[in-house]
């Protein structure tokens, strides 16, 4: 005897119109949206010290930053810090430009 396995909402996908699929995707993005947290200004000084130390000594850092999709955590070595344009360049699996205003956490990696 075979066991019945319900496919859930998957069985109804062929009946959805493209407009419905767009609305469902937009609803999913809206419900899973994460807002940028309010950070304490006192965190800026230890982070600045860590960035300068990592730039001089070549220490690997783990950086968590905010993007439109949510929080992203990456690790790598600091290549450059552009204070006038407010971003840093991180060399990990690829070169990544991270805005300084969107950084949430910096730790030694």
């Amino acid at each position: 005897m075979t066991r019945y396995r319900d496919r859930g909402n998957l069985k109804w996908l062929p009946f959805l119109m493209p407009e419905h699929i767009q609305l469902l995707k937009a609803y999913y993005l809206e419900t899973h949206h994460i807002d940028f947290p309010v950070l304490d200004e006192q965190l800026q000084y230890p982070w600045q010290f860590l960035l300068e130390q990592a730039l001089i000594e070549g220490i690997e850092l783990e950086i968590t930053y905010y993007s439109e999709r949510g929080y992203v955590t990456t690790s790598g070595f600091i290549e450059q810090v552009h204070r006038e344009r407010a971003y840093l360049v991180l060399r990990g699996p690829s070169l990544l430009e991270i805005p300084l205003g969107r950084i949430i956490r910096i730790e030694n990696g």
Side-chain angles (χ1 to χ4, degrees), residues 3-93:
R3 299 187 82 194
Y4 175 72
R5 193 179 122 220
D6 186 22
R7 295 180 294 151
N9 288 335
L10 187 62
K11 62 186 167 204
W12 300 109
L13 283 180
F15 298 107
L16 291 177
M17 296 191 325
E19 296 85 14
H20 293 151
I21 294 172
Q22 274 184 328
L23 287 172
L24 286 174
K25 286 181 182 178
Y27 175 75
Y28 179 80
L29 288 175
E30 182 181 319
T31 57
H32 291 87
H33 178 72
I34 299 172
D35 291 330
F36 185 72
V38 177
L39 298 175
D40 188 12
E41 286 185 27
Q42 294 179 358
L43 289 174
Q44 302 296 327
Y45 298 111
W47 288 355
Q48 182 179 356
F49 177 75
L50 267 174
L51 287 175
E52 290 173 0
Q53 183 182 16
L55 186 61
I56 292 170
E57 298 177 9
I59 299 172
E60 185 176 11
L61 293 178
E62 185 175 285
I63 298 177
T64 303
Y65 64 97
Y66 177 80
S67 76
E68 286 75 26
R69 298 179 309 249
Y71 300 135
V72 179
T73 301
T74 186
S75 62
F77 299 94
I78 303 295
E79 286 284 321
Q80 298 173 337
V81 177
H82 295 280
R83 296 203 189 280
E84 62 276 355
R85 289 190 272 166
Y87 73 91
L88 62 89
V89 179
L90 186 74
R91 179 176 41 92

